[in-house]
């Protein structure tokens, strides 16, 4: 007689009860912490970011910059996964250089903001695990800050912060730098009315406070101040 073939086993056996679900990304993501902030003024822009890179309860390095100089009038600060941050900043370097060669001029801050959005959205099905700010001066010389989610949705704001210390610092900025709603018509400038010195002091205080509570925010703080006259950088020591 005709013999029946043995039953086929399932290609993927069911997980034992209580076993952890597999990571769909295959363990490719890690949040290495860090915090970055940007504040727009009437004729300046301040970008600040910590330098600690961690995983779990281990510190990988205390001196890694999280800020990328896209042009003389635009900076991109990224918190999150170190490998994706490096890959993103390298890609931005290439595209900004190509823009300069093709158009014969440096790329503007609003153009970098849109390019960053397109780059993140292009990876939406396997996102770059970075939390980004794009900040600089617009064509009128006013401070401009753009804040992003992981897949490129962005808006121009007067101030923002990203990273592990965001929940500690954003309420302080909301209280001290309350800016006009972007929904107002006619549009009202979102740049703060505070002076550059007052904003710098606020940034230093916010990071010093966050470093007391967030273990992923610490070691050192890089502060970049951009004006029509150029870009200056200073470093402030934080809790180690």
């Amino acid at each position: 007689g005709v013999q029946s073939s043995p039953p086929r086993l399932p290609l993927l056996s069911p997980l034992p009860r209580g076993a952890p679900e597999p990571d769909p990304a295959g363990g490719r993501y890690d949040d290495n912490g860090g915090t970055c902030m940007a504040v727009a003024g009437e004729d300046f822009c301040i970008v600040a970011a910590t330098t600690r890179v961690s995983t779990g309860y281990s510190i990988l390095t205390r001196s890694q910059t999280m800020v990328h100089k896209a042009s003389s009038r635009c900076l991109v600060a990224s918190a999150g996964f170190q490998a994706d941050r490096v890959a993103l900043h390298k890609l931005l370097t290439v595209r900004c250089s190509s823009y300069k060669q093709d158009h014969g001029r440096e790329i503007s801050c609003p153009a970098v903001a849109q390019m960053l959005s397109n780059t993140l959205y292009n990876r939406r099905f396997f996102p770059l695990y970075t939390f980004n700010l794009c900040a600089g001066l617009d064509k009128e010389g006013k401070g401009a800050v753009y804040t992003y989610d992981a897949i490129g949705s962005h808006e121009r704001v007067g101030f923002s912060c990203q990273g592990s210390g965001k929940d500690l610092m954003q309420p302080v900025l909301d209280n001290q730098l309350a800016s006009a709603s972007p929904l107002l018509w006619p549009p009202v400038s979102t740049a703060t009315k505070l002076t550059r010195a007052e904003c710098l002091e606020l940034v230093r205080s916010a990071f010093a406070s966050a470093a007391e509570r967030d273990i992923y925010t610490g070691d050192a703080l890089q502060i970049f101040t951009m004006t029509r006259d150029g870009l200056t950088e200073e470093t402030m020591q934080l809790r180690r």
Side-chain angles (χ1 to χ4, degrees):
V2 179
Q3 294 182 350
S4 61
S5 59
R8 292 186 176 181
L9 296 176
L11 294 178
L12 294 176
S13 58
L15 291 171
R17 181 171 295 180
E21 291 291 331
D23 179 3
R28 296 183 181 91
Y29 285 128
D30 188 14
D31 187 353
N32 298 125
T35 308
C36 52
M37 174 195 291
V39 179
E42 288 294 339
D43 59 352
F44 65 89
C45 186
I46 297 172
V47 179
T50 56
T51 61
R52 177 181 291 178
V53 176
S54 310
T55 182
Y57 293 106
S58 300
I59 296 176
L60 302 178
T61 179
R62 299 179 186 272
S63 57
Q64 172 63 49
T65 183
M66 299 183 183
V67 180
H68 168 68
K69 184 179 179 182
S71 71
S72 62
R73 297 172 70 86
C74 184
L75 299 172
V76 175
S78 308
F81 185 25
Q82 168 67 6
D84 280 354
R85 172 171 52 238
V86 171
L88 175 62
H89 289 181
K90 284 183 177 180
L91 183 57
L92 293 178
T93 298
V94 172
R95 291 187 172 176
C96 290
S97 177
S98 297
Y99 182 98
K100 188 172 183 179
Q101 291 180 352
D102 292 341
H103 298 274
R105 64 177 185 276
E106 267 195 330
I107 189 169
S108 66
C109 185
V112 173
Q114 185 62 56
M115 180 180 66
L116 177 56
S117 174
N118 295 347
T119 302
L120 295 173
Y121 188 71
N122 188 51
R123 287 286 303 271
R124 63 192 178 279
F125 297 118
F126 193 176
L128 292 167
Y129 195 48
T130 57
F131 308 99
N132 304 282
L133 296 173
C134 178
L137 301 178
D138 62 15
K139 61 182 180 180
E140 298 173 353
K142 286 188 176 183
V145 174
Y146 300 85
T147 187
Y148 294 77
D149 69 3
I151 58 172
S153 177
H154 70 294
E155 66 173 331
R156 181 171 175 172
V157 293
F159 54 88
S160 186
C161 60
Q162 295 278 17
S164 58
K166 176 181 179 179
D167 293 341
L168 297 172
M169 294 166 55
Q170 190 69 45
V172 177
L173 300 183
D174 291 337
N175 178 261
Q176 298 294 317
L177 299 174
S179 61
S181 169
L183 301 178
L184 291 178
W185 188 262
V188 178
S189 173
T190 57
T192 179
K193 303 300 181 184
L194 297 182
T195 65
R196 191 190 321 169
E198 290 172 332
C199 286
L200 284 170
E201 185 59 31
L202 176 62
V203 169
R204 295 188 190 104
S205 298
F207 273 96
S209 299
E212 295 293 330
R213 285 282 180 173
D214 177 28
I215 63 173
Y216 302 114
T217 299
D219 290 319
L221 175 67
Q222 290 182 305
I223 305 175
F224 299 85
T225 305
M226 184 176 295
T227 65
R228 291 179 181 272
D229 298 327
L231 182 68
T232 60
E233 177 186 352
E234 64 176 279
T235 301
M236 169 184 164
Q237 294 303 311
L238 295 175
R239 185 182 178 91
R240 297 177 68 87

